[in-house]
Amino acid sequence: MNAVSESFLPAGETAVIRLITAGSVDDGKSTLIGRLLYDSKSVFADQLDAIGRAKYKRVAGDGIDFALLTDGLEAEREQGITIDVAYRYFATPRRKFIIADAPGHEQYTRNMVTGASTADVAVILIDATRAADGRLLPQTKRHSTIARLLGIRHIVVAINKMDLVDWDRAVFERIRGAYADLARRIGIERFHALPMSALNGDNVVSSSPRSPWYDGGPLLALLESLDPVQRDDGAPLRFPVQWVVRHDGSSAKDFRGYAGRIASGTLRPGDEIVVQPSGVAARVAEIRAHERVLSHAEAGDSVVVVLDRDVDVSRGDVLSHAAAPASVGKNFEAEICWLDTQPLNPARKYLLKHGTRLTTAVVREVATRRDIHELREVEGDVGTLSMNDIGKVRIATRDPLAMDPYDEVAATGAFILIDAATHQTAAAGMLR
């Protein structure tokens, strides 16, 4: 699953919040992000001029089509839907934000999963005109379920287009009640709900006089108040090896190091580590980065680790502290979201990408499938999963893997399945 570079952000104490907008088609996700960028003065004049002249503009008169600030693909502007994940950046005096605009169409759920995999906050938009009777759309349920499975800590429910229902408080309360029932059934412990009009800017950056019955603050103030998620506090060391670095191989003192990015935990010279899955033990002799020798390295750092003796370490291995190793095995249970248009075929072998390791795998059993409409798990002989189905499965791999529950270490608890024939991403999975 992808990560977003934060190198564009200046160093400082201001916390970074990663958020994703989610929900169904036409709920106003792209418009909301465009409005946030515009009202926070994060849009240049030439950008406004360009979208003002765009041939696919869908706002009458001199109005700004804010969706065009994020929907940059020709196909997106032509069809009026988001297809790929678009990342945008802006900052306030209190926070720096990385925003992922996710597609709402069922066909592009895989892109939503990609964007949500690194998010701290999920803003679930709901079109008040389509949910006025309290019935939520399937994609609202699906995206909320995915956010829950991925462990996104902060859920914000933005009930949009309230101007089209005359800011009727009863409609807002009905939708909020329906989402509260959804949250209870899928395991979301708490969420924030607010009424808004993304197009007009009501309750986005500043509070709106059109909703005097709403005593909460606008969306931006809420986002600024949320605590950043500290993902790796106390997490065990997990260092997936990307490649082996060697030079002066003909010398008796040739250099051998293991390059990668620390996924979790902290590493120091002298630490006793174990190479997984082989179980060979060694000590850290040196940690290098950009020709500098480091006193320590932590999650997110890309480094080269030198061990005190030559051992067999290859791409795909994981270095862990000897006192807190990962579990190693070839058989495990997981929850997966099936993303391919071709249904899961238990008779086929798939490629499984876990960290830096690529192996083959078969799905031994589909234990349950989540009915996204009834919000219940269908048990028994489920047999297969179709596109956008979420289910619990049992998987067997050719090679042993160093694994952790996703809730404890996301990097070694997540994987994807790949169709070996088409090279399409077939499923995203989380070990439980």
Side-chain angles (χ1 to χ4, degrees), residues 221-402:
L222 173 60
L223 295 176
E224 287 181 321
S225 71
L226 298 177
D227 294 329
V229 177
Q230 301 297 324
R231 296 178 181 274
D232 297 307
D233 284 356
L237 171 70
R238 298 293 182 262
F239 180 73
V241 176
Q242 293 185 4
W243 64 84
V244 179
V245 180
R246 292 202 66 189
H247 59 75
D248 294 334
S250 60
S251 169
K253 296 183 179 180
D254 64 323
F255 179 85
R256 178 183 299 193
Y258 309 102
R261 182 175 182 269
I262 297 180
S264 67
T266 302
L267 186 65
R268 291 180 171 82
D271 285 357
E272 185 178 357
I273 60 94
V274 61
V275 181
Q276 297 188 281
S278 68
V280 176
R283 286 192 179 273
V284 176
E286 203 173 54
I287 305 173
R288 290 177 171 265
H290 307 293
E291 299 183 353
R292 294 183 295 114
V293 177
L294 306 180
S295 61
H296 75 284
E298 56 190 28
D301 292 342
S302 295
V303 297
V304 175
V305 176
V306 180
L307 301 180
D308 65 342
R309 62 193 187 93
D310 290 340
V311 296
D312 183 7
V313 183
S314 305
R315 174 180 172 85
D317 288 341
V318 176
L319 304 187
S320 306
H321 279 141
S327 299
V328 174
K330 296 183 179 181
N331 298 275
F332 56 90
E333 295 183 355
E335 286 183 287
I336 66 172
C337 179
W338 194 257
L339 305 173
D340 202 350
T341 54
Q342 298 297 316
L344 165 65
N345 184 349
R348 289 191 56 187
K349 288 185 178 180
Y350 292 91
L351 298 175
L352 186 145
K353 185 75 164 60
H354 176 255
T356 56
R357 183 176 294 278
L358 184 67
T359 186
T360 57
V362 293
V363 179
R364 294 291 192 195
E365 180 186 2
V366 180
T368 67
R369 177 179 58 81
R370 187 182 295 272
D371 187 317
I372 207 64
H373 299 283
E374 298 296 330
L375 298 176
R376 61 184 179 86
E377 289 187 334
V378 179
E379 300 182 354
D381 187 13
V382 177
T384 187
L385 296 173
S386 299
M387 187 175 72
N388 295 333
D389 280 346
I390 299 171
K392 292 181 180 178
V393 299
R394 294 182 177 88
I395 294 177
T397 59
R398 178 193 63 195
D399 302 308
L401 304 177

Side-chain angles (χ1 to χ4, degrees), residues 167-241:
W167 292 94
D168 189 337
R169 181 176 184 175
V171 171
F172 172 76
E173 296 293 352
R174 195 178 301 127
I175 298 173
R176 181 166 64 175
Y179 195 88
D181 181 61
L182 168 66
R184 177 183 58 79
R185 298 171 70 178
I186 65 177
I188 294 176
E189 294 183 359
R190 60 186 301 237
F191 65 91
H192 307 269
L194 71 160
M196 71 164 50
S197 170
L199 183 62
N200 298 323
D202 295 297
N203 292 332
V204 178
V205 170
S206 56
S207 296
S208 172
R210 297 177 178 84
S211 56
W213 43 265
Y214 171 65
D215 58 4
L219 176 65
L220 183 58
L222 173 60
L223 295 176
E224 287 181 321
S225 71
L226 298 177
D227 294 329
V229 177
Q230 301 297 324
R231 296 178 181 274
D232 297 307
D233 284 356
L237 171 70
R238 298 293 182 262
F239 180 73
V241 176

